[in-house]
Amino acid sequence: MSSIHANMDICGRTPAFDRNIVDAVSSRLTAASGAAKSLLLAFRYRLATRRIQRFSDHRLHDIGFERDWDGSVITRQK
């Protein structure tokens, strides 16, 4: 006999889920998903930036970037 069947024998009905708990868990999962997506995008941006660090100044200019005074790559200012 399962716990649901035992509860039905005792109470005469199935246990009800509290909607507030379900909403709280759902919102936490949504927030965690958003944080994971943000971290993944930041990681991919960092990899792409590291990849173009090796390009020459002329090639960076061709694809819309330039070197800052400290050598970091930034979007070209128009």
Side-chain angles (χ1 to χ4, degrees):
M1 178 182 255
S2 69
S3 61
I4 292 177
H5 290 108
N7 193 28
M8 287 178 66
D9 288 344
I10 295 170
C11 300
R13 62 183 176 89
T14 59
F17 291 105
D18 188 7
R19 188 69 188 158
N20 293 334
I21 293 173
V22 173
D23 289 341
V25 170
S26 175
S27 68
R28 297 292 194 270
L29 288 173
T30 302
S33 173
K37 185 185 292 185
S38 175
L39 285 172
L40 179 64
L41 289 175
F43 181 71
R44 290 178 68 190
Y45 175 78
R46 178 68 181 141
L47 283 177
T49 304
R50 189 178 299 167
R51 192 176 304 136
I52 65 173
Q53 285 277 335
R54 299 183 299 248
F55 289 174
S56 67
D57 291 341
H58 180 74
R59 190 168 185 192
L60 284 174
H61 185 75
D62 288 345
I63 61 174
F65 293 95
E66 64 185 2
R67 293 209 189 274
D68 201 6
W69 63 271
D70 62 353
S72 61
V73 176
I74 59 173
T75 305
R76 184 176 43 181
Q77 305 296 322
K78 293 185 180 192

